[in-house]
Amino acid sequence: MVDLLDASVWVALRAPDHVHHPRARRYWDREAAEELAFCRVTALTLLRQLTNRRVLGEAALDGATFAVAGGCRLVAFDGDFRRYRGVELLHLGRE
């Protein structure tokens, strides 16, 4: 069987202060299937929740930090992402 985790589970796993973190960790450590599915909708929802201060308060990540943690190059029209250290940015800018 393959487990498809909802974004709420991923957020609880990521945030140690989250009310559901202990239960999410117990799932991860003891109950998770050997294979996990991660769909595009869940990934986008997770990104929005992990970078939202209303969801995680001070523990929220900067969008650019999310890219660094994932080992990704950030591609954007917004050059302000240059202010984040460690971000590999492909700035599309203006032609």
Side-chain angles (χ1 to χ4, degrees):
M1 177 169 292
V2 176
D3 286 353
L4 175 61
L5 280 64
D6 180 68
S8 63
V9 177
W10 288 111
V11 170
L13 282 167
R14 158 56 180 82
D17 293 334
H18 192 283
V19 65
H20 296 300
H21 180 76
R23 179 62 183 107
R25 282 300 310 194
R26 194 166 59 249
Y27 157 78
W28 187 261
D29 294 338
R30 301 181 191 158
E31 301 171 57
E34 287 189 31
E35 192 173 342
L36 302 174
F38 196 65
C39 70
R40 183 170 296 164
V41 172
T42 301
L44 292 172
T45 302
L46 178 60
L47 173 61
R48 291 184 60 103
Q49 290 180 355
L50 289 177
T51 59
N52 187 328
R53 293 211 183 274
R54 284 188 266 164
V55 174
L56 290 180
E58 292 300 314
L61 300 173
D62 290 321
T65 304
F66 189 85
V68 172
C72 300
R73 175 172 68 169
L74 184 61
V75 180
F77 287 103
D78 187 348
D80 287 344
F81 285 108
R82 287 188 187 104
R83 65 186 168 122
Y84 298 112
R85 285 183 294 147
V87 172
E88 183 178 338
L89 174 67
L90 174 57
H91 181 227
L92 299 180
R94 296 181 184 192
E95 293 188 20

